[in-house]
Amino acid sequence: MVNRQIVTFILMVLCVALTLSSAQAKNLYSYVVVGPDKTQIIRVIVDDNHCPTLYSADKAYNMTLRVASDANHDNPSYFPVAVCELVKPINVTELTLDNQPLPLLPAHINKIAVIGDTGCRIKAPFSYQGCNDPQAWPLQTVARSIASEKPDVLIHVGDYLYRESRCITQGCQGSVHGYGWESWQEDVFKPMREMMLTTPMVFVRGNHESCHRAGQGWFRFLDPYPYNPQHACVKPNAVDMDQPYSIIVNPSLQWIVFDSAEIQELHPIAHFEDFVRSMNRVGELLQPQYHHWLLLHHPSLGYAYSHILGWNGGTTEIYNALLQAKPKLMDQFDLFIQGHIHTFAISNYRESGLPLNIVSGMGGTSLEDRFPAKNLTGYAVQNTAHISKEVNDQHFGFLVYSEVSGQPVLNVKDTEGHNRMTCQIHISTRDFTCQPHD
């Protein structure tokens, strides 16, 4: 009888312990997504399906479950974590999680960091970046430098997850791979944790987040729209694209964020008309009283170099969609901000009506082949777009854009946050002057 009572007592204690454990989910990562209409969406990744509570000075706000943890262990994109979210209430200027303040947008945005193409590239048969070496893959250092910079907001121009194949070399030995949670944690949330804790972020979707790659993770974690399982790369052969959206940054600046993830660069795209319709939507969003930036992953006016292919121009499908859109879009933008090419580059063009083109794809993934010294004046990045002036730099780092005494300034930073180059931006003439630092 005594033994039975002891066993019963032990079982009761275990049940209570399990209940308390399940009720106290561990908050693994938190971050703030800046979405349509400058909405600030607080997201928290938890280790079960229980969502935390956020606090302001005088009120508590319960987060809701965006998407539950995945029960299907056989899913190639397996996610044993859940995502909770809360849209920041109007007039709330401070929120805390676990007694720590969350990064929220200031009333006026001036200092803007830009990063892109950040994950550790492991792709058979030839690409095996040294993920275990912070010099070979410096994303964590870059993220810490951005946190120290204290920008008002950060733009990530896409391509977050690169660990696509099993590692077979020493430099990335032991690395996880695939498109599920383990790869998202190692390529995104662990190395960028400090930056995410201090900086609200605009996330642009890259081709590495297309549906046949890491799209399921994109829609779980980073997509700014409400989660819809019918539009989350879950269906076989899905081609799920987001609608472009507007962010009024300050009284003089509007950003348009465009999803180009499903563009196919090496052959004609089967759903090109969908991109044209999205570009038409861009025209509907533009408000003429603002200056405009287009934020997207693929650089329609960019250029790249490889030892095998030589020089090649930007993404023609995007360029054609811009040309076919109604109303005419190209001359509505002051800047295109993009990634995809693993370098820094800034360009303007001989033809009138084209924006300044900025590429920030040097956030951590393997850099492009070193560009040979060459005068690219006159080079055709598209049939009707010829370079007038360009500057490029193949080093890891990030960009910081700000206005100093009313003059736009773009600082090109190295991994430690030191200035490699400063570019004065002349919006009215679509021109720039860059000065390297010793």
Side-chain angles (χ1 to χ4, degrees), residues 48-61:
D48 69 8
N49 294 323
H50 292 82
C51 289
T53 300
L54 305 181
Y55 296 91
S56 66
D58 57 355
K59 192 171 182 179
Y61 297 92

Side-chain angles (χ1 to χ4, degrees), residues 63-110:
M63 302 191 77
T64 58
L65 190 66
R66 172 177 173 82
V67 56
S69 57
D70 192 351
N72 181 9
H73 292 259
D74 296 326
N75 185 350
S77 296
Y78 174 54
F79 297 96
V81 294
V83 184
C84 301
E85 66 183 357
L86 174 78
V87 175
K88 185 189 81 67
I90 297 173
N91 297 326
V92 170
T93 58
E94 184 177 293
L95 285 169
T96 63
L97 170 70
D98 297 335
N99 296 316
Q100 297 298 315
L102 292 161
L104 300 176
L105 292 172
H108 182 82
I109 294 171
N110 179 60

Side-chain angles (χ1 to χ4, degrees), residues 24 80 124 134 144 148 257-258 271 283 302 321 404:
Q24 297 175 350
R144 285 174 176 166
S148 299
V257 184
F258 187 86
H271 44 273
V404 181

Side-chain angles (χ1 to χ4, degrees), residues 346-372:
I346 181 169
S347 314
N348 64 9
Y349 307 91
R350 287 179 171 175
E351 290 81 2
S352 62
L354 296 179
L356 286 174
N357 189 76
I358 295 173
V359 172
S360 179
M362 68 291 195
T365 199
S366 298
L367 296 170
E368 302 291 342
D369 292 338
R370 178 71 63 181
F371 290 5

Side-chain angles (χ1 to χ4, degrees), residues 67 70 72 75-77 79 205 210-217 219-220 227-240 262:
V67 56
D70 192 351
N72 181 9
N75 185 350
S77 296
F79 297 96
R205 187 180 175 196
S210 63
C211 283
H212 73 283
R213 299 172 96 172
Q216 289 190 37
F219 283 105
R220 281 176 172 266
Y227 187 79
N228 176 3
Q230 302 303 311
H231 182 85
C233 292
V234 176
K235 297 178 181 178
N237 303 314
V239 181
D240 294 327
E262 298 293 345

Side-chain angles (χ1 to χ4, degrees), residues 414-433:
D414 66 14
T415 60
E416 301 287 344
H418 303 128
N419 280 347
R420 288 185 54 80
M421 189 183 308
T422 297
C423 299
Q424 303 287 331
I425 306 294
H426 311 290
I427 295 296
S428 60
T429 57
R430 309 282 170 89
D431 199 4
F432 61 93
T433 54

